[in-house]
Amino acid sequence: DVKVTQSSRYLVKRTGEKVFLECVQDMDHENMFWYRQDPGLGLRLIYFSYDVKMKEKGDIPEGYSVSREKKERFSLILESASTNQTSMYLCASSWQQTQYFGPGTRLLVL
Amino acid sequence: SQQGEEDPQALSIQEGENATMNCSYKTSINNLQWYRQNSGRGLVHLILIRSNEREKHSGRLRVTLDTSKKSSSLLITASRAADTASYFCATGASGNEKLTFGTGTRLTIIP
């Protein structure tokens, strides 16, 4: 079974802090994704990566950056957290267009 | 940008009844998928139907796809309390692994 893990289930940060969300997959998938999920808005793609060190902006990349130094790990970085980044963050990896999700990180920015 | 829109936004039915939810999308697709999300958790892939397929079954799930109407439906037969979750459709295009998700249908099964 594919396993995608995320570093934290719940996270509370203060405005202006730098925040790292980590995602690890164990199936050697080339493609990995970061989404945020907000009520009524569904899942919105922040960034995705199609190979090590390769990344592409999604629909809402502003205020975020990503890092993929190893194939199994895809990190989402909030350079300076703001209250409007309070959300559920979901990581996924994919194979043949089927996506496998981690359990999510619920981030609260105060 | 949102591609899929699910309908209804919320659905409550009695245990044992069938649940039907619909998805409409806007552009050409290579495949359409349905995912389930239990409260506060990640999404789980349920079923994928390719653009050249019209119907697909998996256990108690039946998915139809009408590319001329740009719509799909997910039928869950003989519903159980454990089916209570949000259901999302997602569309994929040729040439890349990205999916575009809809806003979901929240299904509640009443015991």
Side-chain angles (χ1 to χ4, degrees):
Chain A
D1 275 355
V2 177
K3 186 148 189 187
V4 179
T5 57
Q6 294 184 228
S7 49
S8 307
R9 288 299 314 281
Y10 301 96
L11 211 49
V12 181
K13 295 292 181 181
R14 297 221 172 263
T15 301
E17 279 193 79
K18 191 167 186 175
V19 181
F20 293 88
L21 303 181
E22 287 210 318
C23 175
V24 178
Q25 50 98 1
D26 67 354
M27 282 302 292
D28 204 37
H29 289 165
E30 291 181 345
N31 298 277
M32 297 186 75
F33 306 81
W34 274 106
Y35 297 91
R36 65 176 282 177
Q37 183 178 25
D38 301 287
L41 297 178
L43 274 73
R44 292 181 292 167
L45 181 64
I46 304 171
Y47 267 99
F48 77 100
S49 169
Y50 48 93
D51 204 347
V52 175
K53 296 190 189 296
M54 306 303 283
K55 62 186 179 186
E56 197 168 306
K57 292 179 180 179
D59 298 321
I60 51 163
E62 296 79 19
Y64 304 94
S65 61
V66 290
S67 172
R68 185 128 181 243
E69 296 297 318
K70 293 185 178 180
K71 194 172 188 179
E72 67 270 19
R73 190 179 299 268
F74 190 34
S75 302
L76 180 70
I77 303 151
L78 286 66
E79 297 290 343
S80 177
S82 64
T83 55
N84 62 13
Q85 292 179 310
T86 290
S87 187
M88 172 74 138
Y89 289 88
L90 292 164
C91 173
S93 67
S94 76
W95 183 71
Q96 293 188 349
Q97 290 197 313
T98 295
Q99 294 195 6
Y100 302 88
F101 283 82
T105 296
R106 195 168 289 280
L107 173 67
L108 173 62
V109 182
L110 300 174
Chain B
S1 57
Q2 296 299 324
Q3 160 85 302
E5 287 192 13
E6 286 90 341
D7 169 56
Q9 288 188 336
L11 178 62
S12 291
I13 60 172
Q14 295 287 332
E15 192 168 19
E17 292 180 342
N18 296 342
T20 300
M21 51 206 91
N22 304 294
C23 170
S24 60
Y25 58 92
K26 295 172 185 162
T27 61
S28 295
I29 62 170
N30 171 267
N31 67 82
L32 186 143
Q33 304 178 37
W34 287 89
Y35 288 78
R36 185 187 74 228
Q37 183 181 35
N38 291 94
S39 182
R41 308 293 296 185
L43 279 71
V44 174
H45 178 257
L46 295 176
I47 194 166
L48 180 153
I49 186 166
R50 300 204 181 280
S51 59
N52 61 355
E53 297 176 307
R54 290 296 166 258
E55 189 170 311
K56 203 161 183 181
H57 297 251
S58 177
R60 292 184 297 113
L61 305 180
R62 182 173 81 103
V63 171
T64 62
L65 179 64
D66 186 336
T67 53
S68 67
K69 294 182 179 177
K70 292 188 168 57
S71 68
S72 172
S73 67
L74 172 68
L75 168 68
I76 303 173
T77 60
S79 63
R80 305 168 180 167
D83 294 329
T84 293
S86 292
Y87 292 81
F88 294 86
C89 68
T91 54
S94 296
N96 67 74
E97 292 276 309
K98 284 195 294 182
L99 296 178
T100 304
F101 287 83
T103 52
T105 291
R106 187 177 184 86
L107 175 65
T108 302
I109 308 300
I110 303 164

